[in-house]
Amino acid sequence: KAGVTQTPRYLIKTRGQQVTLSCSPISGHRSVSWYQQTPGQGLQFLFEYFSETQRNKGNFPGRFSGRQFSNSRSEMNVSTLELGDSALYLCASTYDRGTDTQYFGPGTRLTVL
Amino acid sequence: SQQGEEDPQALSIQEGENATMNCSYKTSINNLQWYRQNSGRGLVHLILIRSNEREKHSGRLRVTLDTSKKSSSLLITASRAADTASYFCATEGQGGSEKLVFGKGMKLTVNP
């Protein structure tokens, strides 16, 4: 089975712009979770989608949003980028529960200038 | 917010030695998981231990869980240079939080 894929792998944006990141889960997996990883804050949970519905949400501002499509692929969007949004964004998929073993993608490295 | 906290934050050992990492957490859990991350890449799941289990093995990995002390340890035996990575514990809180909370991680360096 192919693993979790994320595109793009690297992204450079400037403050105020918006960005969309994509995640394709393992075939058959219905839950997709997103995490932000920074040196200062570590790995922080953004949100989880299951069957096209946001099932859980972390403590991030409304500039961070996401969605899931009927084929379980997911996108996350960050609007009005800030310097502090520079991070490695990771998505992970599981078959069912968002707390089961997570299968992570390689991440998207976002740099905001 | 982080629930799990790994200790030590960094460990440097020689190839062949054993490496032990500890994780402490604050609230009751349903399960605890350990993950590995190679430099700047995605995390790889290593092992999951449920709250009713005390010890679990997988290859060179041995995980213990002490729910009374709210702590877990990960032992890597006969370490290899390829084990150099960051290691994270993650907990699923009870009470239906339905999300994993990761610790800040521990950097293991295995010198050849």
Side-chain angles (χ1 to χ4, degrees), chain B residues 21-37:
Chain B
M21 290 158 262
N22 301 301
C23 170
S24 58
Y25 56 92
K26 295 173 185 171
T27 63
S28 296
I29 59 171
N30 291 322
N31 68 55
L32 185 144
Q33 303 181 39
W34 284 92
Y35 288 82
R36 183 188 75 225
Q37 183 180 36

Side-chain angles (χ1 to χ4, degrees), chain B residues 12-26:
Chain B
S12 182
I13 60 174
Q14 295 300 123
E15 221 170 13
E17 293 181 337
N18 295 342
T20 299
M21 290 158 262
N22 301 301
C23 170
S24 58
Y25 56 92
K26 295 173 185 171

Side-chain angles (χ1 to χ4, degrees), chain B:
Chain B
S1 61
Q2 265 73 32
Q3 158 147 254
E5 191 169 315
E6 295 86 354
D7 170 61
Q9 292 192 325
L11 181 63
S12 182
I13 60 174
Q14 295 300 123
E15 221 170 13
E17 293 181 337
N18 295 342
T20 299
M21 290 158 262
N22 301 301
C23 170
S24 58
Y25 56 92
K26 295 173 185 171
T27 63
S28 296
I29 59 171
N30 291 322
N31 68 55
L32 185 144
Q33 303 181 39
W34 284 92
Y35 288 82
R36 183 188 75 225
Q37 183 180 36
N38 291 91
S39 183
R41 304 180 69 177
L43 280 73
V44 174
H45 179 259
L46 296 175
I47 198 162
L48 180 153
I49 187 165
R50 301 198 184 280
S51 59
N52 61 352
E53 298 176 308
R54 290 296 167 260
E55 188 172 312
K56 206 163 180 180
H57 296 255
S58 176
R60 294 183 297 114
L61 305 179
R62 173 178 167 251
V63 170
T64 61
L65 179 64
D66 186 334
T67 53
S68 67
K69 295 181 179 177
K70 292 188 171 57
S71 69
S72 172
S73 68
L74 170 67
L75 169 67
I76 303 174
T77 60
S79 63
R80 306 166 181 167
D83 294 327
T84 294
S86 292
Y87 291 80
F88 297 83
C89 65
T91 53
E92 172 204 350
Q94 290 182 339
S97 69
E98 290 291 325
K99 60 186 182 186
L100 284 183
V101 179
F102 285 82
K104 288 206 168 184
M106 191 223 83
K107 173 65 179 172
L108 172 66
T109 303
V110 181
N111 302 298

